[in-house]
Amino acid sequence: LKTQPVLTEAPFSVYPNPSHDRVNIIAPPGQVSVIDVMGRTIIEAYLPEGKAELDLTGLNPGIYLVRSIVQGDVRQVKLYVY
C-alpha cells in the first residue's frame, strides 16, 4: 500500500482588500511580491515571521497580484488598490 503525504494548508491572507495606503499580509515565512497587470514586480518583501505590513503609497489605483512562493508552493490573491 502506498501512503499519500498529508498536506497542511498554511494561511495566506491579504487585508484590507481593497486597500489604499497599507496592506497586511499573513503568509508562510518567505518571499512575497506585489505584481502589476503588466507582470512587473512592484514590491518585494521577505516575511521572516510570516506577517508583514506593506506600504502601498505611490501605487496607482488598479488590480495587483500578491504572490507568495515558499518551497515551490505558489499562492496568489488579487489586491484592489483605490
Side-chain angles (χ1 to χ4, degrees):
L1 292 174
K2 284 187 179 181
T3 59
Q4 296 293 325
V6 176
L7 300 176
T8 58
E9 190 69 28
F12 180 56
S13 63
V14 177
Y15 64 92
N17 192 6
S19 186
H20 177 65
D21 57 353
R22 297 200 178 278
V23 68
N24 296 295
I25 298 175
I26 297 175
Q31 190 74 29
V32 171
S33 304
V34 177
I35 302 163
D36 70 8
V37 294
M38 299 299 289
R40 296 176 295 213
T41 299
I42 306 301
I43 299 171
E44 274 191 322
Y46 182 75
L47 279 66
E49 302 292 322
K51 292 182 181 181
E53 180 180 83
L54 297 183
D55 182 4
L56 302 178
T57 55
L59 288 185
N60 291 324
I63 299 172
Y64 296 84
L65 289 177
V66 178
R67 181 178 294 161
S68 168
I69 302 174
V70 178
Q71 296 177 352
D73 181 28
V74 179
R75 297 181 190 193
Q76 58 188 25
V77 65
K78 286 182 185 176
L79 170 65
Y80 300 90
V81 177
Y82 62 92

